[in-house]
Amino acid sequence: MIPISLVVNGQYFDDISVEPDQTLLDFLREIGVKSVKKGCGEGDCGACGVIMDGIYVKSCLVLAGQANGREIRTVESLGTVEEPHLLQTAFVDEGAVQCGYCIPSMLLAAERLLDRIPDPDETQIREALDGNLCRCTGYVKQVKAVQKAAKMMMEDHHD
Amino acid sequence: MKNVEAFIRPDTIEEVLENMALPGSLAVAGGTTVALSKDPAVLRIVDLSGVPSLKRIETEADKIVLGAMVTMTDLLLTEAPIPLCLRQAARAVSSTPIRNMVTVGGEIARGVYWTDLPVPLLALDATVKICAKGSSRLISMRDLYQEHPSKNLAAGEVITKIYIPMTHHSSAFIKFAKTEVDYAMLNVAASVHLSAEGLIEHALVAIGAVTPLAQRLAAVEEALRGQRLSEDLLRSVGTLAVQGLKLRKDFRVSSEYQSEMVTVHVARVIEQAVNNAGEQK
Ligand SMILES: Cc1cc2nc3c(=O)[nH]c(=O)nc-3n(C[C@H](O)[C@H](O)[C@H](O)COP(=O)(O)OP(=O)(O)OC[C@H]3O[C@@H](n4cnc5c(N)ncnc54)[C@H](O)[C@@H]3O)c2cc1C
Ligand code: FES
Ligand code: FES
C-alpha cells in the first residue's frame, strides 16, 4: 500500500493508504465523491474529469499515488443545489442536461475555459468540451449554456 | 503496477536520475499510458512533473528548446514562435483533457505507429537530449527512430530536452483519421526552406501510421531539392513516396488504400508547407 495526502474539494486527506495500481478515479469514488464516473476507464469518454492543480484531466489516467500532494477539484466544489454556480444555472436554464452522466465533467471543462477566456467563441467552447462524450443532448445546448454562463459571469463581474 | 512500492516526485533532475538508476524504476510523464499499464516489474514510479525546467519552452537564436514535460496544450498556447507543423500535430492529439496531460517526452518515448508528435519532430530534424545518472547524450530524432525508441533508451535514461533548429521553417502537418479524436491512419509532416527565387532549397518530409514507426522519406527529400513547386513535381514525389515504403498491415484499410493515401497526402503536405511560407517564421 502507498500512503498519500491530498486535498479534495478543500478537504484535507492525510496519510490515506491506496493500492499501487489504484486510479485517482477509483480513489475519489471510494472516499464518496460520486460525481466522477467510470464510463470507460481508459481515457475515451471523459466522464471521470477532474481539475488537478488547476488543470482539467481524466482521473482514470492518473494513478492515485501520482495525486499525492496535489489539489483535486470535482463538480462538488462548484456550487450546491441551494447556491449553484452560474455555469450550473445556465446548463439548467438552457436545457443542457438530460441524464446528467456527462455533466459534472462538462461543467469542470467549461469552468477551466472561462477561467482562461471569459468570452470564448463557439470554436473555443467546442474545443474545451471536446473529450467529454454526451450520449443524450447532441452538444448544441451545452455550447449555448456555456455562452450564456460566460455572459452572466461577465455581467456579474461588472456589477 | 501491482508491485509498485513507491511514488516519487523529485523537484530536481539530479534526483530524478538518481531514482531512475535504481532497478524497477519507471518514469511517468503525462501518465496516459502508465496509468493503464499492468507491468509487474515496476517497483518505483518516478514522476517527472515536479521538475520546473522540464516544463519550459525556450527560444534561442537558432533553435527552440522544449522541455520533455511540455504538454500538447502548452504547445498550442505558447507565444514562442514554434513551427506550425508542431502546433498542428499537437492539436491533432485526441481531445483537450488528453492534450492537457500528454507530453512531448511521452510521445517520443511511447512511439506507437500512429503517434502524432514524432512525425513533425522528424521533419524538423529535432535532436533529443537523453540523460542518465552521471551521463548525457544527444541523438537526432532520426537515429532515435531507427528502431522503436524504447530499444534506444537504456534503463535509467530519461529524455530531458528536445532541440528544434529554426533554419527551414515553413512547415505543415496533416493527420488522416476517421474522426477528429481517432488514432491516425496516416500522419505526415514537411518542413521546407525556400530560396529567394522560391526554389525548394531543402525539404524534410516524415510519415507515420502507415509504417510500423514514423520515418523520414529520404528519396522524396532528394527529389525536391532545388525544384520549384508544380503539379508535376507534386505528382512525381507522391508516387515516389510509396515506392520502397514498407507499409504496415492495418485492419482498418487495405494496402491499396494506404498507398493512395500516401501519394495524395505527401503531395498535399509539401504543397501546404511551401504555401505556408510567409505566414510563419
Ligand atoms: C484516449 C487516448 C487517445 C490518444 N490519442 C492520441 C492521438 O491521437 N495521437 C497521439 O499522438 N497520441 C494520442 N494519445 C497519447 C499516446 O497514446 C500516449 O498515451 C502518450 O504519447 C504518452 O504520453 P505521456 O506524456 O502521457 O507519457 P506517459 O504515459 O507518462 O509515459 C509513456 C511511456 O514513456 C515513458 N516516458 C515518458 N516520458 C519520458 C521521458 N521524458 N523520458 C523517458 N521515458 C519517458 C514512460 O516511462 C512510459 O513508458 C492518446 C492517449 C489516450 C489515452
Ligand atoms: S472513465 Fe472514460 S475517460 Fe476516464
Ligand atoms: S446528458 Fe446524458 S450523457 Fe450527457
Side-chain angles (χ1 to χ4, degrees), chain A residues 1-2 19-21 23 41-44 46 53 55-70 116 126-132, chain B residues 1-7 9 28-37 45 47 49-50 76-77 91 94-101 180-181 183:
Chain A
M1 299 293 273
I2 308 282
E19 296 288 344
D21 56 355
T23 62
E42 47 190 49
D44 286 321
D53 286 349
I55 297 174
Y56 180 65
V57 299
K58 297 190 170 184
S59 63
C60 69
L61 297 178
V62 179
L63 291 169
Q66 269 175 279
N68 185 30
R70 298 197 182 262
R116 190 166 61 81
R126 287 185 176 275
E127 204 168 290
L129 298 185
D130 190 8
N132 301 294
Chain B
M1 299 290 144
K2 279 234 168 312
N3 298 322
V4 171
E5 290 158 4
F7 283 76
R9 187 160 73 240
V28 60
T32 56
T33 51
V34 170
L36 302 176
S37 157
I45 291 195
D47 190 337
S49 68
L76 290 175
L77 298 184
R91 178 63 183 80
S94 196
S95 60
T96 295
I98 299 285
R99 289 195 289 272
N100 286 347
M101 305 176 84
E180 185 152 334
V181 294
Y183 300 134

Side-chain angles (χ1 to χ4, degrees), chain B residues 29-274:
Chain B
T32 56
T33 51
V34 170
L36 302 176
S37 157
K38 303 231 177 320
D39 191 346
V42 180
L43 305 177
R44 189 178 304 90
I45 291 195
V46 184
D47 190 337
L48 307 180
S49 68
V51 184
S53 66
L54 294 182
K55 292 185 195 159
R56 265 183 228 133
I57 299 178
E58 287 157 305
T59 315
E60 293 179 11
D62 56 345
K63 58 181 170 300
I64 299 267
V65 188
L66 305 177
M69 291 297 289
V70 166
T71 64
M72 300 303 105
T73 299
D74 294 335
L75 290 178
L76 290 175
L77 298 184
T78 182
E79 284 170 11
I82 64 168
L84 181 64
C85 65
L86 204 57
R87 269 190 224 270
Q88 290 173 318
R91 178 63 183 80
V93 173
S94 196
S95 60
T96 295
I98 299 285
R99 289 195 289 272
N100 286 347
M101 305 176 84
V102 168
T103 64
V104 177
E107 283 273 299
I108 296 173
R110 171 105 158 101
V112 192
Y113 62 93
W114 44 256
T115 309
D116 291 307
L117 218 69
V119 178
L121 291 175
L122 281 163
L124 292 165
D125 199 21
T127 298
V128 180
K129 184 174 182 188
I130 298 174
C131 296
K133 188 186 171 187
S135 73
S136 82
R137 61 188 173 112
L138 293 174
I139 182 168
S140 69
M141 268 301 283
R142 191 182 201 172
D143 288 344
L144 185 61
Y145 266 61
Q146 285 303 321
E147 51 186 340
H148 193 274
S150 61
K151 295 200 176 120
N152 272 321
L153 281 169
E157 281 195 321
V158 176
I159 297 169
T160 54
K161 286 183 176 174
I162 297 90
Y163 301 92
I164 299 167
M166 293 298 281
T167 42
H168 29 48
H169 282 203
S170 173
S171 68
F173 168 87
I174 301 173
K175 169 175 173 173
F176 186 79
K178 274 197 188 159
T179 69
E180 185 152 334
V181 294
D182 202 359
Y183 300 134
M185 287 190 200
L186 167 145
N187 41 27
V188 61
S191 78
V192 297
H193 183 76
L194 300 178
S195 72
E197 297 77 42
L199 298 180
I200 300 169
E201 277 187 352
H202 191 62
L204 302 181
V205 186
I207 199 161
V210 288
T211 49
L213 197 60
Q215 65 172 75
R216 290 259 297 272
L217 294 173
V220 171
E221 294 174 359
E222 198 48 50
L224 288 169
R225 194 185 295 272
Q227 302 294 313
R228 187 178 295 281
L229 191 70
S230 70
E231 274 185 28
D232 282 347
L233 178 70
L234 289 175
R235 204 171 305 118
S236 75
V237 293
T239 310
L240 191 61
V242 190
Q243 292 164 7
L245 200 61
K246 206 164 174 290
L247 297 170
R248 64 175 291 283
K249 278 216 179 321
D250 190 331
F251 67 91
R252 300 169 296 180
V253 283
S254 66
S255 58
E256 290 80 4
Y257 191 83
Q258 280 178 315
S259 300
E260 188 63 21
M261 280 198 301
V262 173
T263 313
V264 170
H265 287 94
V266 165
R268 193 173 291 166
V269 83
I270 292 163
E271 185 177 21
Q272 288 180 7
V274 172

